[in-house]
Amino acid sequence: MKSDSVKKGMQQAPHRSLFHALGMTEEEMEKPLIGIVSSYNEIVPGHMNLDKITNAVKMGVAMAGGNPVMVPAIAVCDGIAMGHIGMKYSLATRDLVADSTECLATAHAFDALVMIPNCDKNVPGLLMAAARVNVPTVFVSGGPMLAGRVHGHRTSLSSMFEAVGAYSAGKMTEEEVKEYEQSACPTCGSCSGMYTANSMNCLTEVLGMGLRGNGTIPAVYSDRIKLAKHAGMAVMDMLEKNIRPRDIMNERSFRNALVMDMALGCSTNSMLHLPAVAHEAGVELNLEIANEISAKTPNLCHLAPAGPTYIEDLHEAGGIYAVMNEISKLGLLDLDCMTVTGKTVGENIKGCVNRDPQVIRTVENPYSNTGGIAILKGNLAPDSAVVKRSAVAPEMLQHEGPARVFDCEEDAIDAIKGGKIVAGDVVVIRYEGPKGGPGMREMLNPTSAIAGMGLGSSVALITDGRFSGASRGASIGHACPEAAVGGPIALVEEGDIISIDIDKCRLDVLVSDEEMAARKEKWQPRKPQVTTGYLARYAAMAAPASRGAILEL
């Protein structure tokens, strides 16, 4: 056992004295030492129930013969961080989570780990740590929030942000917004649509790192507690069989994740996180293959914000395994990949029935014949840009319009709410990338303001920043190279005509190569927005979004 290095032999007597200081018995010290990495806190709604999940995991580990020990991981609530300097820290915490968990797990010689994440960057951060540490590891999330209800209509966090936009446009009263405010987020859990947190928890299940239901059992269901106990038992079985994260997370399983990303219509943030996790697992996940996969993969789910269904509906319809079983009919999944169950993907999904074809469309009746995400290229994004195609109105799949250029999110929001953006415009928000932001802020406030003001089917938004999974419309992010390094998005001028063709995966500014070259000659780097602390270090080390915004040594 790895933990023998801190428990066995005379040289380890001082170590054992510290375990005794913890109140640990000699009987416990004889058992495998299992780290329970809990992201519990009292500021993130998706994490306020993780104390119960943690206790259930510990019980499962103990029942299966292990010695569970809880250690912490941090998490940021993107909703609370949205629209102010806090959002600059959101993506950056992914690497803090990975680094700190690697440190904790290695320094204390844990034999195995159970990761308990739930929201946004916390999930991929722990996946990255699992790949680095590479001891038997199971994930069990805190589960999704139930949808809210206002006047008989179901709502979510995206409804809340769009209500603010509607208020700015004079379409809602302050009292009506207050009603949404009280009802949009009714329970603990990760926000109820196919936003980033739920996307990553569902894809964790696809990758094989979580048990069935990890991505979809609602946070308030008792089945979530049972799942946590089973996760604790599963990690002990993995330890006995020596099944490790890198046995599970390989090139084939990441390809499965991309296939299911397209079928589910996940958040565009998955195009940052999957390459970053793959990198830690020793797999170079080139997003060039995303469009190839998308071309073959039908989009079967339109969960909020793309449609009127929520994660709770996906759960009732059969969950992720039911979607995987449906997609497997097309031969698009590698069914031989190993999972935390000790069984293959094919064995896991066999017989998993689609109980509601309105929530999970059949492969014969998809929402579209192509996947939910598209990677765009062109002279405005030579390396890549990303759009959630499944959340774009059909009339915006092709669009040309004049650029309305802003060098930060705040200026764009002022213009949108001030009525200065009109139908046909293309809002360009730059200097918000990994280095330029720094931290690559999410643009949920401007996209929600556009949607709330009734411009979602006539105005596009392009940024070198990123979008919340709650964003909808022609919201194109991750434009690479970013403005801070002199990418073409830095050279766009007010009134330039921008051409978007999502079906052809093109993103261009209709300016000659000669003119763009002349502008580049005159371009001067923007003064860094942050020069001290963690964000300054992050900006210095951050790789492009096309490579997952990983930190380079």
Side-chain angles (χ1 to χ4, degrees), residues 31 101 115 144 182 187 296 309 316 374 383 424 430 516 536:
K31 297 177 180 180
T101 303
M115 305 293 199
Q182 297 287 344
T187 71
K296 301 174 183 176
T309 53
E316 295 300 324
D383 292 346
R430 60 194 181 190
M516 290 295 278

Side-chain angles (χ1 to χ4, degrees), residues 6-20:
V6 294
K7 295 189 305 185
K8 301 286 186 180
M10 185 53 66
Q11 290 299 316
Q12 280 65 44
H15 306 65
R16 290 193 297 275
S17 72
L18 294 170
F19 285 120
H20 283 296

Side-chain angles (χ1 to χ4, degrees), residues 159-437:
S159 311
M160 189 66 251
F161 278 92
E162 289 179 17
V164 174
Y167 173 78
S168 299
K171 296 182 177 182
M172 289 184 72
T173 66
E174 184 175 348
E175 290 72 23
E176 288 172 324
V177 174
K178 184 75 171 179
E179 192 170 5
Y180 269 81
E181 180 183 329
Q182 297 287 344
S183 305
C185 301
T187 71
C188 63
S190 48
C191 294
S192 55
M194 187 56 83
Y195 309 149
T196 305
N198 290 327
S199 293
M200 292 310 301
N201 283 322
C202 289
L203 293 178
T204 297
E205 201 173 325
V206 175
L207 280 170
M209 290 297 295
L211 299 176
R212 182 181 185 183
N214 178 69
T216 60
I217 298 173
V220 294
Y221 283 16
S222 295
D223 278 350
R224 177 64 55 178
I225 300 295
K226 295 178 185 177
L227 182 73
K229 292 175 183 175
H230 283 128
M233 297 177 204
V235 82
M236 296 305 297
D237 185 57
M238 289 179 71
L239 182 60
E240 182 179 347
K241 295 175 179 174
N242 197 28
I243 300 173
R244 299 167 182 255
R246 290 195 180 199
D247 300 324
I248 296 170
M249 292 192 287
N250 53 42
E251 187 174 355
R252 295 177 298 129
S253 62
F254 281 106
R255 190 177 181 93
N256 281 351
L258 282 175
V259 168
M260 290 302 298
D261 196 327
M262 300 302 170
L264 291 164
C266 291
S267 163
T268 51
N269 279 314
S270 63
M271 295 294 105
L272 284 174
H273 300 323
L274 286 176
V277 177
H279 175 75
E280 298 295 351
V283 175
E284 290 307 311
L285 188 62
N286 187 344
L287 291 183
E288 296 286 336
I289 67 171
N291 284 342
E292 169 207 326
I293 290 173
S294 180
K296 301 174 183 176
T297 308
N299 178 226
L300 304 184
C301 298
H302 263 196
L303 298 150
T309 53
Y310 295 84
I311 300 295
E312 63 195 80
D313 302 312
L314 179 59
H315 178 64
E316 295 300 324
I320 300 305
Y321 279 15
V323 187
M324 293 177 77
N325 199 32
E326 190 68 38
I327 283 292
S328 72
K329 296 174 184 177
L330 301 176
L332 297 175
L333 294 176
D334 189 323
L335 302 181
D336 293 328
C337 291
M338 180 52 62
T339 72
V340 294
T341 65
K343 298 178 181 179
T344 65
V345 168
E347 290 174 307
N348 285 344
I349 68 173
K350 185 178 180 180
C352 293
V353 177
N354 177 0
R355 295 195 290 263
D356 190 344
Q358 298 303 311
V359 176
I360 305 171
R361 292 278 188 96
T362 64
V363 293
E364 294 83 15
N365 181 38
Y367 282 101
S368 66
N369 290 318
T370 53
I373 288 179
I375 306 296
L376 311 184
K377 285 194 173 186
N379 71 346
L380 187 51
D383 292 346
S384 65
V386 181
V387 63
K388 188 171 183 175
R389 176 169 27 201
S390 60
V392 178
E395 56 267 37
M396 290 298 289
L397 291 172
Q398 290 84 31
H399 180 76
E400 283 191 7
R404 307 298 310 280
V405 183
F406 305 93
D407 285 349
C408 66
E409 177 190 8
E410 288 82 359
D411 290 350
I413 291 171
D414 288 345
I416 295 165
K417 292 186 175 179
K420 297 177 181 178
I421 303 301
V422 299
D425 284 347
V426 179
V427 177
V428 177
I429 305 178
R430 60 194 181 190
Y431 294 102
E432 290 285 6
K435 289 183 177 295

Side-chain angles (χ1 to χ4, degrees), residues 379-380 398-405 424-428 460 462 476 489 492-493 495-501 506-511:
N379 71 346
L380 187 51
Q398 290 84 31
H399 180 76
E400 283 191 7
R404 307 298 310 280
V405 183
D425 284 347
V426 179
V427 177
V428 177
I462 299 169
I476 301 168
I489 194 171
V492 176
E493 295 182 357
D496 285 348
I497 301 300
I498 291 177
S499 173
I500 300 165
D501 192 328
R506 294 291 306 180
L507 179 63
D508 296 283
V509 55
L510 301 186
V511 173

